[in-house]
Amino acid sequence: QVQLVESGGGLVQAGGSLRLSCAASGRTLSIYAIGWFRQAPGKEREFVGATSWSGGNTVYADSVKGRFTISRDNAKNTVYLQMNSLKPEDTAVYYCAAVSTFATPPHEGHEYDYWGQGTQVTVSS
C-alpha cells in the first residue's frame, strides 16, 4: 500500500499562486500514476490533472490548462501541483490519488486506489 499526504494549501488572493505537494510513503511512487482532484462545497469531485508514472504523460482539465502544472520527483516520492493565476472558482479541497499503471493516467476518480486526506485551497476575490 501507499499512503499519500497533501500539503501546501492555504488562503491566497485571486491571481496568486500556490504549490501543493503530494508526498508518498509505504511504497515507491515511481510505479504509480498520480491524479489531482478537487471538490468544492456542494459540488461533485472534479478532475484537475494527472501525470503518468514517469511524468512523461501529463493531462489537465480544460478549466486549469495553462495555469496549473503537475510535476513529480520520484527520488523524493513527491508529486507537485503548481497553481498559478488562481481564481475564486479554484477554491476547493484538493486531493491527490494514486494508481499503479503504466497506461495513460485516468481521469475518473474511481480508477484510483489510494487517496490523500486533502488540503484546502481558498482563493479570495
Side-chain angles (χ1 to χ4, degrees):
Q1 284 199 354
V2 61
Q3 292 79 43
L4 304 174
V5 178
E6 302 94 338
S7 62
L11 173 64
V12 64
Q13 288 189 333
S17 298
L18 281 174
R19 188 178 78 159
L20 305 185
S21 298
C22 174
S25 61
R27 296 192 68 177
T28 176
L29 204 57
S30 61
I31 63 171
Y32 291 91
I34 301 297
W36 284 96
F37 295 81
R38 65 187 182 186
Q39 188 165 23
K43 294 187 177 181
E44 293 188 353
R45 185 175 59 197
E46 177 188 18
F47 173 77
V48 173
T51 183
S52 62
W53 67 277
S54 66
N57 184 4
T58 305
V59 293
Y60 299 95
D62 287 343
S63 58
V64 306
K65 201 173 294 182
R67 299 189 298 122
F68 290 12
T69 303
I70 298 173
S71 61
R72 65 189 299 160
D73 186 339
N74 285 341
K76 294 184 178 179
N77 247 19
T78 302
V79 175
Y80 304 97
L81 177 65
Q82 177 68 43
M83 305 186 296
N84 299 328
S85 302
L86 282 162
K87 305 175 181 179
E89 51 263 44
D90 294 318
T91 295
V93 178
Y94 283 71
Y95 301 89
C96 64
V99 59
S100 180
T101 180
F102 295 115
T104 299
H107 293 213
E108 298 294 333
H110 66 83
E111 297 190 64
Y112 288 83
D113 296 320
Y114 305 102
W115 291 80
Q117 84 291 347
T119 185
Q120 176 70 47
V121 171
T122 302
V123 184
S124 63
S125 57

